[in-house]
């Protein structure tokens, strides 16, 4: 599994397409039969208590794409804070299991674990 992280609109999906995946391979914040799932943070924010179950499903995917949500001002809203923390914890777990971890910055991939 390849984990791709980065800020909103940092080129994560385009990078995944460059790995040979087509638009039909992508699922938007949904766990289905598709090989690539993006907007994982949205799944986590919907139910922050599901991290373990999500992890078990996501490690079966070819590519997992998640926005970095842990920077900036700490949200006042408790549910948002819990979602942000859960998304970070999920990414830590996924990064440990991933064959490669790529952080996208301004469309530039930085491979921080493994090889592609």
């Amino acid at each position: 599994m390849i984990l791709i992280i980065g800020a909103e609109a940092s080129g994560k999906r385009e990078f995944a397409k460059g790995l040979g995946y087509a638009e039909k391979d992508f699922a938007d914040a949904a766990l289905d039969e598709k090989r690539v799932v993006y907007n994982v943070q949205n799944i986590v924010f919907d139910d922050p208590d599901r991290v373990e179950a999500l992890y078990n499903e996501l490690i079966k995917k070819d590519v997992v794409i998640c926005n970095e949500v842990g920077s900036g001002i700490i949200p006042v809203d408790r549910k948002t804070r819990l979602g942000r923390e859960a998304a970070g914890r999920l990414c830590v777990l996924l990064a440990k299991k991933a064959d490669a971890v790529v952080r996208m910055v301004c469309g530039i991939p930085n491979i921080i674990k493994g090889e592609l």
Side-chain angles (χ1 to χ4, degrees):
M1 181 263 296
I2 299 169
L3 175 63
I4 303 173
I5 59 170
E8 180 78 25
S10 61
K12 298 180 295 295
R13 288 184 61 204
E14 289 304 313
F15 179 76
K17 288 178 184 176
L19 296 174
Y21 297 97
E23 193 62 41
K24 65 178 176 56
D25 297 319
F26 287 76
D28 183 1
L31 295 174
D32 57 18
E33 74 287 343
K34 295 184 179 178
R35 301 173 358 181
V36 179
V37 61
Y38 67 99
N39 283 329
V40 167
Q41 74 283 348
N42 294 345
I43 302 171
V44 176
F45 273 69
D46 286 342
D47 187 359
D49 295 326
R50 278 188 56 199
V51 168
E52 187 175 333
L54 284 174
Y55 169 80
N56 290 329
E57 290 300 314
L58 291 171
I59 60 173
K60 299 173 189 173
K61 299 292 183 181
D62 290 359
V63 178
V64 175
I65 302 172
C66 187
N67 285 356
E68 291 180 340
V69 294
S71 298
I73 297 170
I74 297 170
V76 174
D77 177 63
R78 184 175 191 276
K79 184 175 181 183
T80 304
R81 275 195 322 272
L82 292 175
R84 187 166 121 162
E85 182 177 337
R89 291 185 189 283
L90 177 61
C91 283
V92 168
L93 294 172
L94 291 170
K96 287 179 183 178
K97 183 73 171 178
D99 298 313
V101 179
V102 180
R103 182 170 187 253
M104 296 296 297
V105 179
C106 299
I108 301 168
N110 295 297
I111 299 171
I112 57 178
K113 178 185 176 184
E115 295 180 23
L116 299 175

